[in-house]
Amino acid sequence: MASALRRLGSAAARRGLSTACEDTKKSLFQLPQAGGKSSNLCSAINQALHIALESDPRSYLFGEDVSFGGVFRCTTGLADRYGKSRVFNTPLCEQGIVGFGIGLAAMGNRAIAEIQFADYIFPAFDQIVNEASKFRYRSGNQFNCGGLTIRAPYGAVGHGGHYHSQSPEAFFCHVPGIKVVIPRSPRQAKGLLLSCIRDPNPVVFFEPKWLYRQAIEEVPEEDYMLPLSEAEVIREGSDITVVGWGAQLSIMEQACAGAEKEGISCELIDLKTLIPWDKETVEASVRKTGRLLISHEAPVTGGFGAEISASIVERCFLRLEAPVARICGLDTPFPLVFEPFYMPTKNKILDAIKATVNY
Amino acid sequence: MALSRAASASRAALLKPLAAGFLTSAPSPLRRPISTDTTPITIETSVPFTSHRCEPPCRSVETTPQELVSFFQDMAKMRRMEIAADSLYKAKLIRGFCHLYDGQEAVAIGMEAAITKKDCIITAYRDHCIFVGRGGTLLEVFAELMGRRDGCSRGKGGSMHFYKKEAGFYGGHGIVGAQIPLGCGLAFAQKYSKDENVTFAMYGDGAANQGQLFEALNMAALWDLPAILVCENNHYGMGTAEWRASKSPAYYKRGDYVPGLKVDGMDALAVKQACKFAKEHALKNGPIILEMDTYRYHGHSMSDPGSTYRTRDEISGVRQERDPVERIRKLLMSLELATEKELKDIEKQVRKEVDEAIAQAKESPMPDPSELFTNVYVKGLGAESFGADRKEVRTVLP
């Protein structure tokens, strides 16, 4: 069901990401046609949070240091505008923050919890896996914490080292009951974040911190939502399907451009929602091209690429012309000085594209 | 400083010509023996100790001139090292994260004076000076900060992960509060081996609200472990003042059933007394909490200017009134154990040592790329790595 997409002229993002117009089937979710204001990722997220707090008086935002604007400035102006009772700092206790958010959501509120870096989310892992994801299920739908959205910056920045660069999305993709969403650009982030906040399920929203200031796009100023669990084909092609999410897409886009010079036409898909993920779009694309490559920053073993690979092989075994390639981080802790070797770079992806096509 | 000038003027007549080694590195003819003088002297701490569920130790601290001079020398070294690290970071030779300890040196120094290298210390990420206190060299510090092979963790850890096994320094941890249960585990091992050693598990006022601290504290108290939990309260958890984060900023009382002691963390002698007291207590009665009332001049890390959540007046006020290095300097001069010039000479010597260490560290090479895969597991992982052309360059790393 890969929808026919028109490519809108995009504003000059430094990374040259293309944006595509939403398909017309979902009229509820529509990316506004008109341009918008030039914004970077953290300001797009800030706009989304403003709209979320404005549109629902029972929504609350909390986390470490969010009150003055947060360490990445994504929450500037919110405490001033909506008051200290709705936008407040928590002490340094991730487990407490998420647990508290679950309770707040269980009372029918929208709780937007911020975890300062995705690397710190692990004390809260128990709360997310054992409490948030199972609440509706184990109470027979009497209770739920659907109003909970957890935002966390993730991903490499070039010098983050072991504890400011991790991509933990794979751990959460193993948990039925929550959704995991990762935007690739400011425009996507605003729409997706608003959808996540308004989605009646608990959502973990990972924001690619590398793009906070680097990615600039025209972001519509109004309230708009983008559908969850719908992947987007952001570049059409016929030789190989390349799937990714978040900041890695910009690297993959460069690799696809490089491959094009060598005569290989790549179809690039942004998964956007990791669970529940849009298997149909990826499957339709692989049926067209016959080859698949997945790339993510997280370590290759047990990363989400493994799930995509297994599902697609299951569905498209006879159509596949080559093994599914995964170009991912290496199976080591995220290194400090070795980061350039660890990362799935453009050249590694390009090399794998060529190897897969020439299999 | 008016005090020192007046003192040195009046002391000019008291100078006795005596030859003695003064600076530890180069012998120089000096007037009187200072650094080797071990006659005990007693000094009162700046403020009395406040205690929770225990009898506070007495304010009078036994020390010697040699110890006081070594305090000054070591603290000056730590101070100079941290300031040099600041410049190196701004010159982009150090990348990533760098959390500086200047202002808090008295805690590291006082603690070392009270314990042995068989006692264990474990701390969070503000660990450069603790490492030096445990016997780490300046070369190891700067090389590790710059990610070079001669660093204490072979360049693989960086600023937040300094370790020294032979000296019982268990590091250097990035996740706030995670090191406290580890510290209690170390204490258990020490108790089991009956070797009369203790563990100092250090954390900050930000970590004081972590659940794992209380879990670990309960276990330590339940099993009478020789664990000393040291809260280095510099009053700001990154940018959040303690009164904004904690209902009760009296961290020494937070243990409830665990006794606690509040110490002036800017007074190295008070820290020494408190740690000595705590060690004796822990070996007999189980865990105790020490709250060190201290202050950091830099921001939380190098990306924090440190002035958006506190006033410059506050910072300079603390620097003027409570600076640990200045306190020892004034003490040494008022007790006529050293002249201003001698202390300045120490500082010059320290500066030279730091500069030499930096120069040497800059020469040190980066770790070999194969080190990316070593020490993931015991013998490394059978990982594959390939270059631009998959078919050509393919190696299996250890």
Side-chain angles (χ1 to χ4, degrees):
Chain A
M1 262 170 284
S3 17
L5 300 161
R6 296 186 306 278
R7 205 180 278 146
L8 278 182
S10 68
R14 270 183 56 188
R15 296 167 165 271
L17 288 176
S18 59
T19 54
C21 177
E22 252 317 308
D23 71 355
T24 48
K25 264 195 280 180
K26 301 267 160 74
S27 57
L28 182 63
F29 301 100
Q30 215 162 15
L31 196 68
Q33 301 289 71
K37 217 168 71 148
S38 184
S39 316
N40 58 21
L41 184 66
C42 60
S43 118
I45 292 191
N46 188 250
Q47 289 174 40
L49 293 171
H50 268 279
I51 293 173
L53 290 172
E54 174 94 56
S55 52
D56 184 351
R58 287 177 72 197
S59 47
Y60 309 88
L61 187 118
F62 47 93
E64 290 159 25
D65 300 309
V66 297
S67 191
F68 80 92
V71 287
F72 293 109
R73 297 277 182 271
C74 292
T75 52
T76 38
L78 292 168
D80 293 331
R81 187 118 177 255
Y82 300 102
K84 291 200 254 239
S85 308
R86 288 178 68 195
V87 178
F88 52 92
N89 286 342
T90 58
L92 213 170
C93 41
E94 289 74 17
Q95 187 170 21
I97 291 170
V98 173
F100 169 91
I102 294 171
L104 192 56
M107 292 284 272
N109 302 298
R110 290 197 208 282
I112 307 166
E114 175 178 303
I115 299 288
Q116 197 159 77
F117 281 87
D119 313 59
Y120 310 157
I121 204 169
F122 300 109
F125 194 62
D126 173 69
Q127 286 286 341
I128 296 171
V129 171
N130 280 330
E131 305 301 325
S133 70
K134 300 178 167 75
F135 209 164
R136 191 191 289 273
Y137 188 85
R138 68 183 187 223
S139 67
N141 206 14
Q142 280 186 76
F143 288 108
N144 70 79
C145 57
L148 176 67
T149 305
I150 300 166
R151 297 176 37 241
Y154 87 100
V157 281
H159 53 267
H162 312 92
Y163 299 112
H164 295 80
S165 319
Q166 290 178 47
S167 304
E169 71 270 3
F171 296 110
F172 298 95
C173 292
H174 196 51
V175 185
I178 59 170
K179 294 193 178 183
V180 176
V181 178
I182 305 184
R184 70 167 185 271
S185 74
R187 208 159 169 188
Q188 293 288 317
K190 181 173 170 180
L192 286 171
L193 182 54
L194 282 167
S195 297
C196 292
I197 292 171
R198 292 166 179 164
D199 187 275
N201 293 294
V203 181
V204 181
F205 186 79
F206 287 115
E207 303 164 358
K209 65 170 93 71
W210 201 355
L211 301 183
Y212 271 146
R213 309 237 180 289
Q214 302 249 16
I216 300 174
E217 242 186 339
E218 300 257 310
V219 177
E221 294 186 284
E222 64 260 42
D223 183 349
Y224 66 96
M225 288 164 46
L226 291 173
L228 299 183
S229 296
E230 272 194 26
E232 186 183 339
V233 179
I234 57 180
R235 185 194 176 100
E236 286 192 22
S238 53
D239 292 329
I240 179 171
T241 301
V242 181
V243 177
W245 51 86
Q248 189 64 8
L249 278 170
S250 60
I251 311 286
M252 293 159 84
E253 178 109 356
Q254 290 171 29
C256 292
E260 177 132 14
K261 291 201 190 96
E262 313 221 5
I264 300 173
S265 157
C266 305
E267 179 143 302
L268 182 58
I269 298 184
D270 176 8
L271 214 53
K272 295 209 265 190
T273 303
L274 266 62
I275 49 160
W277 64 285
D278 185 355
K279 295 183 179 144
E280 283 75 27
T281 303
V282 180
E283 185 188 342
S285 174
V286 174
R287 283 202 183 284
K288 186 167 75 158
T289 63
R291 295 174 192 88
L292 177 61
L293 180 146
I294 306 151
S295 182
H296 56 72
E297 280 175 27
V300 58
T301 299
F304 195 60
E307 154 66 25
I308 300 175
S309 173
S311 292
I312 293 299
V313 166
E314 208 171 32
R315 289 169 172 231
C316 310
F317 181 71
L318 290 173
R319 176 68 186 92
L320 283 169
E321 307 271 342
V324 175
R326 289 181 294 161
I327 303 303
C328 307
L330 301 170
D331 285 327
T332 70
F334 198 102
L336 183 58
V337 292
F338 296 114
E339 187 172 326
F341 298 117
Y342 170 95
M343 292 292 283
T345 56
K346 175 194 107 179
N347 286 331
K348 285 188 189 173
I349 299 174
L350 185 53
D351 166 64
I353 290 176
K354 288 193 281 193
T356 309
V357 166
N358 296 326
Y359 187 77
Chain B
M1 291 186 290
L3 172 68
S4 56
R5 242 174 273 133
S8 57
S10 67
R11 267 209 316 276
L14 299 173
L15 298 173
K16 303 176 197 107
L18 278 169
F22 179 71
L23 300 170
T24 49
S25 49
S28 53
L30 274 177
R31 301 169 206 104
R32 63 185 117 57
I34 309 165
S35 63
T36 53
D37 185 358
T38 50
T39 52
I41 45 182
T42 309
I43 315 239
E44 287 251 308
T45 63
S46 57
V47 289
F49 299 100
T50 340
S51 67
H52 168 72
R53 283 187 186 264
C54 64
E55 277 303 306
C58 115
R59 266 178 93 171
S60 311
V61 186
E62 293 255 313
T63 181
T64 68
Q66 180 185 23
E67 182 171 67
L68 288 175
V69 171
S70 77
F71 277 8
F72 182 82
Q73 195 163 357
D74 292 335
M75 285 204 278
K77 186 159 83 165
M78 291 176 180
R79 178 66 59 91
R80 189 72 228 132
M81 175 182 84
E82 295 294 71
I83 294 178
D86 177 310
S87 322
L88 284 175
Y89 191 92
K90 290 182 175 140
K92 300 221 169 160
L93 282 160
I94 299 176
R95 303 198 68 215
F97 296 88
C98 192
H99 306 84
L100 298 174
Y101 200 73
D102 53 323
Q104 297 182 216
E105 298 90 351
V107 176
I109 289 294
M111 190 181 291
E112 285 300 330
I115 62 178
T116 70
K117 296 290 189 281
K118 292 253 166 50
D119 296 308
C120 300
I121 299 184
I122 190 170
T123 184
Y125 41 76
R126 210 174 291 279
D127 56 354
H128 306 164
C129 298
I130 312 263
F131 173 73
V132 169
R134 287 264 90 179
T137 65
L138 289 170
L139 171 63
E140 285 175 324
V141 170
F142 289 115
E144 187 61 39
L145 286 174
M146 295 198 268
R148 309 294 174 100
R149 233 178 268 201
D150 290 323
C152 53
S153 307
R154 310 217 313 261
K156 291 171 77 164
S159 162
M160 294 201 278
H161 306 289
F162 283 19
Y163 296 85
K164 197 165 180 68
K165 187 169 181 184
E166 356 23 298
F169 180 49
Y170 285 78
H173 298 265
I175 299 295
V176 168
Q179 73 278 9
I180 304 165
L182 265 74
C184 294
L186 299 174
F188 184 93
Q190 286 172 323
K191 179 167 178 155
Y192 201 93
S193 52
K194 292 202 168 98
D195 48 15
E196 301 288 298
N197 295 321
V198 296
T199 298
F200 285 81
M202 304 173 75
Y203 60 98
D205 45 296
N209 298 314
Q210 276 279 317
Q212 46 196 333
L213 193 162
F214 298 97
E215 292 180 15
L217 201 62
N218 180 51
M219 289 197 278
L222 195 59
W223 300 326
D224 285 323
L225 302 181
I228 297 152
L229 273 66
V230 180
C231 177
E232 291 183 279
N233 183 6
N234 55 27
H235 307 285
Y236 294 94
M238 207 160 79
T240 305
E242 56 179 347
W243 56 272
R244 279 193 208 273
S246 304
K247 177 72 180 171
S248 159
Y251 299 106
Y252 69 107
K253 286 196 194 154
R254 289 279 204 92
D256 184 22
Y257 41 82
V258 171
L261 196 67
K262 184 163 172 166
V263 186
D264 178 3
M266 307 293 258
D267 179 356
L269 291 165
V271 173
K272 174 186 165 187
Q273 183 84 321
C275 291
K276 192 154 148 280
F277 169 79
K279 178 169 174 176
E280 283 159 19
H281 183 282
L283 285 171
K284 274 205 307 266
N285 308 323
I288 181 170
I289 297 182
L290 294 180
E291 180 187 338
M292 303 288 179
D293 184 352
T294 180
Y295 200 83
R296 54 166 163 80
Y297 298 139
H298 270 90
H300 163 75
S301 71
M302 285 307 299
S303 33
D304 173 19
S307 48
T308 50
Y309 46 86
R310 47 186 195 173
T311 60
R312 289 192 206 278
D313 288 338
E314 181 186 296
I315 305 172
S316 55
V318 174
R319 211 187 265 275
Q320 246 172 325
E321 311 211 349
R322 298 177 67 202
D323 184 86
V325 185
E326 286 312 304
R327 168 173 277 140
I328 296 286
R329 192 202 300 269
K330 284 189 195 136
L331 192 60
L332 284 170
M333 296 202 302
S334 71
L335 289 177
E336 297 175 5
L337 297 173
T339 62
E340 191 177 352
K341 180 171 182 315
E342 280 158 353
L343 297 176
K344 282 231 187 310
D345 285 341
I346 295 184
E347 286 180 306
K348 272 200 215 123
Q349 178 65 22
V350 154
R351 210 183 181 113
K352 198 160 135 257
E353 273 173 39
V354 166
D355 289 336
E356 277 166 11
I358 294 179
Q360 217 183 335
K362 281 183 186 165
E363 306 270 312
S364 174
M366 290 286 214
D368 190 79
S370 67
E371 287 265 359
L372 171 56
F373 294 100
T374 57
N375 310 128
V376 178
Y377 291 98
V378 172
K379 284 195 182 65
L381 200 61
E384 280 191 355
S385 169
F386 46 87
D389 188 339
R390 234 173 194 217
K391 293 190 189 70
E392 288 299 314
V393 180
R394 201 174 196 126
T395 49
V396 178
L397 289 142

